Amino acid sequence: MMTQADRLDTLLTEERRFAPPESFRNQANYRDPEVYERAARDPEAYWAEEAKNLDWFRPFTKILDWNPPHARWFYDGTLNAAYNTVDRHRFGPRKNKAAIIWEGEPGDSRVLTYDMLGREVDRAAHVLKSLGVQKGDRVTIYLPMVPELPIAMLACAKIGAIHSVVFGGFSARALHERILDADAKVLITADGGWRRGNVVPLKRNADEAVQGTPVEKVLVVERVGAAAAAPWTPGRDVSWREAMAAAPATPFPCEEMNAEDILFLLYTSGTTGKPKGIVHSTGGYLVGANTSLRTVFDIKDDDVYFCTADIGWITGHTYIVYGPLSCGATVVMYEGAPDWPDRDRYWQIVEKYGVTIFYTAPTSIRTFMKWGPEYVQRHRIDTLRLLGSVGEPINPEAWMWYHEHVGQGRCPIVDTWWQTETGCAMIAPLPGLVTTKPGSATRPVPGISADVFDEEGQSVPAGSGGYLVITRPWPSMLRTIWRDDERFARTYFGKFPGIYLPGDGAHKDEDNYIWILGRIDDVINVSGHRIGTMEVESALVDHHAVAEAAVIGRSHEVKGQAITAFVTLKEGIAATDELMNELKRHVVEKIGALARPEEIIFIADLPKTRSGKIMRRLLRDIAEGRVLGDTSTLADPSVVESLKEMYKDKE
Ligand code: ATP
Ligand code: MG
């Protein structure tokens, strides 16, 4: 049982405030706080109004059927996601507007207007149909960040097939498991992809992965040519180029989908354990994605929008493909690494295409900090007007660096808290309305009811912490876990009946702003005080020598748990005992003696998932000498090996 003293304590105090600049507010899509009140008064009416921004074949008359934990939204309406993201723009005034501006890692580029994108999607839909794909079938997509990736997704959407995109950085084994779980009959891959000048051998991984799965056809996009020659299996392997050339040039009719039909499956990052196949609907998901671009991202017709995520993650699904395209926006898509050929690549892209909205992750921002501001300063980036962050809590110092060096002190920052499961941003400021505080995702977006609960399921008073919860259903919520409805009910609705539990700890401040403190599983208990990992990490990152920090609780006879900090240093800074003591003092000064790390371990890299999130769970296992849990989503397994070695030496 959790006692009063067990509540999440907040140690960090952040006093900086950033009101929306007047010039931004004056042009913003949302300038009147009335939207918050209206949505709170009647969330269902609010969402029904937002849903009218999509084109429905048969308009819905029902809004919500809530039978916890199962929700159905707009469930007598029909629509098609490819129609809403491509065709409705293509056959209207945006016909020749750039939909996707694609930048290849080697420097090649390609622009697809809405009309061109539409033609490609039609051809690809004909190809998939010729391979036997039908409505409801699963198609696994394992591609690099090339235009064929969104084209393949939208072709599935057009047919009504369910896509399951697997990040191109995953191994054959990880791909194999996801194909089996989804029971896919077609796999779309590429001969290879470019990463830091090297070829990623996708086709070779794919060949291994499809063994012993129901996959009948492998459609292979030609990206790197001979550089990745893998054996060809006649009868199974199909060339994308040849199949597209042979496909009819006629429009492919959109399948009329019920709002509740599945649009896609997507496996979570696996930061806390075995990845879950998250199921998203067609109607509700698209309403969430579309609304979010207009509210949180203030999207306009003349924006050039660049999200650095990989489409293999939910951020890429919602904020590269379905959100911006459903708004008819221009999206910049980049194939490769941020430091190839040099560390200014993102800023070079911003300058080259005149990017106005830029969305990235705290892990990237901390890397930019580690490299230093000179790379940003090489380029004219004054076209930028809005910045976003997603994936982990953003440490206040990283926020400030982003604000100053990328935002030039004038671009609002939207820190967006959400998950694969939520479909779109849930806690985030509307940039023309909400005063931001570095490190806080601020307040729920209109139409979302979020709160912080104590162990008994009561809303905690302002100034305290507990479990982050979503208290009402929302259109883009996951519908279930693929083929595991029991796990769905247990994981997300098992603790508080009818209340969605994301699994993150949070603090509610005096202004009712929400601060995400890290995952509930990661919370540290020192002498009865529960401390979020984020706070101690932020105090460490605040020190000029520190690039990144990961903090865990290690069992301790007296205190219950003692804080262990894993720290990576900025370039050119030496790891000394003096620095270690200085860092401990710095944490004490910033947040108090309670948070003083018992030990600080300097390492070259932190273990992260392939989506860039710190895997504290593995650090805890290593520190406590346990057998490691699931490591299949680890970005660089050698990081864990060297840590294990270090720990052996210490003992
Ligand atoms: P798994 O559920 O398999 O462990 P995961 O939770 O890392 O993987 P995602 O759905 O990609 O998979 O990540 C969502 C999580 O990322 C959130 O629950 C939260 O912990 C974290 N997160 C995302 N955005 C933010 C943000 N802006 N602030 C704080 N935390 C964030
Ligand atoms: Mg999760």
Side-chain angles (χ1 to χ4, degrees):
M1 266 291 116
M2 217 184 189
T3 64
Q4 201 65 356
D6 271 343
R7 277 214 306 248
L8 268 171
D9 292 296
T10 290
L11 308 175
L12 208 61
T13 45
E14 172 57 62
E15 300 295 339
R16 290 168 286 202
R17 304 281 179 275
F18 295 87
E22 204 178 302
S23 55
F24 190 95
R25 177 188 273 261
N26 288 340
Q27 61 79 61
N29 288 347
Y30 289 82
R31 304 167 216 187
D32 187 346
E34 162 282 332
V35 59
Y36 283 103
E37 291 143 35
R38 176 164 49 89
R41 235 179 356 252
D42 190 345
E44 290 171 37
Y46 168 81
W47 286 117
E49 208 45 50
E50 291 305 316
K52 291 180 187 153
N53 287 290
L54 298 182
D55 282 8
W56 296 80
F57 295 145
R58 175 153 40 87
F60 58 89
T61 65
K62 312 277 192 212
I63 302 174
L64 171 65
D65 168 38
W66 178 222
N67 183 12
H70 297 110
R72 295 191 299 155
W73 284 87
F74 319 118
Y75 53 97
D76 62 348
T78 64
L79 77 171
N80 183 286
Y83 183 83
N84 274 282
T85 45
V86 186
D87 291 344
R88 66 167 172 164
H89 307 306
R90 173 189 182 191
F91 299 121
R94 297 193 182 100
K95 177 178 164 90
N96 295 317
K97 178 179 174 178
I100 297 175
I101 299 178
W102 174 78
E103 170 95 356
E105 194 188 73
D108 47 342
S109 62
R110 202 173 150 192
V111 178
L112 290 167
T113 63
Y114 274 96
D115 190 46
M116 292 156 88
L117 177 62
R119 289 170 200 274
E120 295 286 307
V121 170
D122 279 342
R123 276 185 189 272
H126 282 296
V127 169
L128 289 179
K129 194 178 170 202
S130 75
L131 299 181
V133 174
Q134 292 176 357
K135 179 177 177 177
D137 287 345
R138 272 80 53 211
V139 174
T140 297
I141 303 178
Y142 180 63
L143 283 174
M145 283 286 282
V146 291
E148 287 79 3
L149 172 50
I151 290 166
M153 293 161 74
L154 295 169
C156 289
K158 200 152 220 195
I159 295 181
I162 298 167
H163 59 71
S164 165
V165 180
V166 176
F167 172 54
F170 272 133
S171 64
R173 197 195 153 84
L175 175 61
H176 175 80
E177 284 168 3
R178 287 162 179 74
I179 291 172
L180 274 186
D181 191 72
D183 203 1
K185 71 179 198 195
V186 169
L187 172 67
I188 306 178
T189 187
D191 52 1
W194 292 111
R195 191 76 188 173
R196 295 200 172 88
N198 295 317
V199 169
V200 184
L202 294 173
K203 172 67 161 65
R204 251 177 287 156
N205 291 346
D207 283 343
E208 199 183 318
V210 296
Q211 299 305 321
T213 71
V215 167
E216 291 158 17
K217 297 284 179 190
V218 179
L219 188 55
V220 186
V221 172
E222 291 83 356
R223 168 61 184 139
V224 297
W232 199 257
T233 306
R236 186 198 70 185
D237 294 351
V238 178
S239 150
W240 173 278
R241 191 191 293 137
E242 287 171 18
M244 288 289 274
T250 50
F252 189 97
C254 288
E255 187 70 36
E256 187 171 338
M257 305 296 286
N258 182 275
E260 282 300 314
D261 284 338
I262 300 174
L263 179 59
F264 64 84
L265 307 181
L266 185 65
Y267 293 86
T268 54
S269 316
T271 309
T272 50
K274 187 178 179 297
K276 309 169 271 278
I278 302 301
V279 172
H280 277 292
S281 70
T282 304
Y285 170 77
L286 212 56
V287 169
N290 176 271
T291 304
S292 182
L293 261 288
R294 291 179 288 103
T295 53
V296 178
F297 284 97
D298 193 48
I299 200 88
K300 308 277 193 334
D301 236 331
D302 54 0
D303 273 314
V304 179
Y305 170 93
F306 179 23
C307 167
T308 68
D310 193 288
I311 292 177
W313 311 119
I314 189 67
T315 303
H317 278 56
T318 304
Y319 293 100
I320 297 179
V321 183
Y322 289 109
L325 296 181
S326 73
C327 292
T330 294
V331 176
V332 173
M333 176 178 171
Y334 170 54
E335 177 183 35
D339 56 352
W340 190 267
D342 203 351
R343 292 169 168 180
D344 64 344
R345 188 61 186 273
Y346 284 170
W347 321 120
Q348 185 225 334
I349 292 172
V350 169
E351 177 171 2
K352 181 172 175 186
Y353 299 114
V355 170
T356 59
I357 303 176
F358 180 78
Y359 192 22
T360 196
T363 180
S364 306
I365 298 167
R366 292 189 298 257
T367 306
F368 307 148
M369 288 173 78
K370 182 171 168 175
W371 292 340
E374 54 270 28
Y375 298 100
V376 187
Q377 286 156 4
R378 274 189 199 164
H379 296 277
R380 264 199 77 157
I381 56 164
D382 55 359
T383 48
L384 289 173
R385 67 180 191 90
L386 178 62
L387 306 177
S389 171
V390 62
E392 288 182 290
I394 179 166
N395 318 103
E397 282 324 292
W399 197 103
M400 289 304 300
W401 194 95
Y402 198 30
H403 171 73
E404 190 176 324
H405 295 289
V406 183
Q408 308 138 79
R410 65 176 170 77
C411 301
I413 295 178
V414 289
D415 174 9
T416 58
W417 176 87
W418 60 297
Q419 313 176 289
T420 309
E421 295 89 336
T422 68
C424 66
M426 305 288 280
I427 303 175
L430 298 203
L433 284 174
V434 177
T435 293
T436 53
K437 306 181 185 183
S440 170
T442 75
R443 55 185 292 187
V445 300
I448 298 300
S449 313
D451 201 350
V452 181
F453 275 11
D454 65 15
E455 190 67 31
E456 275 69 49
Q458 300 298 315
S459 175
V460 304
S464 36
Y467 299 95
L468 179 66
V469 292
I470 314 290
T471 55
R472 301 176 72 116
W474 66 101
S476 65
M477 67 192 284
L478 77 165
R479 294 303 189 259
T480 188
I481 293 175
W482 178 250
R483 294 190 172 164
D484 201 348
D485 196 54
E486 189 277 322
R487 186 178 181 197
F488 161 72
R490 176 167 36 91
T491 307
Y492 305 106
F493 292 91
K495 189 165 183 73
F496 308 120
I499 301 285
Y500 176 82
L501 182 80
D504 288 340
H507 174 79
K508 191 156 74 175
D509 77 10
E510 304 300 336
D511 302 320
N512 280 317
Y513 275 41
I514 290 174
W515 300 72
I516 309 295
L517 299 175
R519 317 218 174 214
I520 293 169
D521 302 346
D522 291 338
V523 166
I524 305 168
N525 193 331
V526 182
S527 312
H529 294 275
R530 289 162 53 88
I531 302 170
T533 47
M534 186 295 179
E535 302 187 274
V536 188
E537 288 163 6
S538 289
L540 286 163
V541 173
D542 177 77
H543 190 279
H544 63 86
V546 175
E548 284 202 283
V551 159
I552 57 152
R554 178 184 189 183
S555 21
H556 187 281
E557 285 174 16
V558 183
K559 299 179 180 172
Q561 281 184 314
I563 295 174
T564 297
F566 296 83
V567 168
T568 68
L569 297 173
K570 290 213 181 115
E571 294 193 344
I573 293 183
T576 60
D577 285 350
E578 289 87 88
L579 180 57
M580 189 181 296
N581 291 327
E582 192 181 316
L583 291 180
K584 289 182 183 176
R585 273 199 307 274
H586 187 74
V587 173
V588 173
E589 261 165 46
K590 288 295 287 186
I591 57 182
L594 190 63
R596 183 177 197 276
E598 187 86 10
E599 55 180 349
I600 291 184
I601 297 166
F602 293 116
I603 50 174
D605 277 305
L606 295 173
K608 291 188 184 161
T609 60
R610 292 184 180 256
S611 56
K613 294 167 197 275
I614 298 169
M615 288 175 100
R616 294 178 194 77
R617 161 174 73 83
L618 286 186
L619 290 171
R620 225 167 29 228
D621 287 348
I622 294 168
E624 297 187 341
R626 266 193 305 273
V627 179
L628 301 193
D630 187 15
T631 56
S632 64
T633 64
L634 202 59
D636 179 0
S638 69
V639 172
V640 164
E641 287 313 311
S642 53
L643 264 169
K644 281 197 332 215
E645 286 303 312
M646 264 179 67
Y647 250 93
K648 253 190 243 141
D649 296 347
K650 275 175 55 101
E651 306 294 80

